[in-house]
Amino acid sequence: NKSSVQTKFRNLKVKNNGYQFNFNTFEDEDLRKIQFHFIEKELIQAVGRARLLDNDCTVYLFSNYPLPHAEQYNLEEIEDLRVPEKVRKLSYKNIEKKKAS
């Protein structure tokens, strides 16, 4: 007896929270919803650690998962942001590694 749930995992163009994006996820929509729930919960927890209501600071989240209520940018737009030079160099290193792979 094989389960009818599609547990295959691959890069798909998906829609979530009003955004359309490519993401490595499950083909089965119910499994995808569970995956996205946990990813979003963890990302919100990570951003919240900065205590944005108590501290005057900016949090830069580099992720291919768009969070609701956050400003979204492509890495190509990073030059237009006031991102610290150290962070900018690190993000470009990661892009180069991905292109080489």
Side-chain angles (χ1 to χ4, degrees), residues 67-90:
L67 277 182
H69 311 296
E71 293 180 31
Q72 309 291 321
Y73 297 94
N74 292 322
L75 281 177
E76 292 80 22
E77 300 171 311
I78 202 167
E79 292 294 330
D80 300 335
L81 303 175
R82 292 193 170 108
V83 177
E85 184 66 23
K86 190 175 186 177
V87 174
R88 189 177 309 133
K89 285 181 180 178
L90 178 64

Side-chain angles (χ1 to χ4, degrees), residues 15-48:
K15 290 182 182 180
N16 193 48
N17 291 328
Y19 295 99
Q20 184 173 339
F21 54 100
N22 290 323
F23 204 80
N24 286 321
T25 187
F26 295 97
E27 290 181 353
D28 182 79
E29 190 172 348
D30 290 331
L31 290 176
R32 189 178 319 132
K33 285 178 183 177
I34 293 168
Q35 177 195 19
F36 286 178
H37 166 79
F38 284 105
I39 289 171
E40 191 168 310
K41 179 180 129 185
E42 295 296 325
L43 289 175
I44 290 171
Q45 170 72 21
V47 169

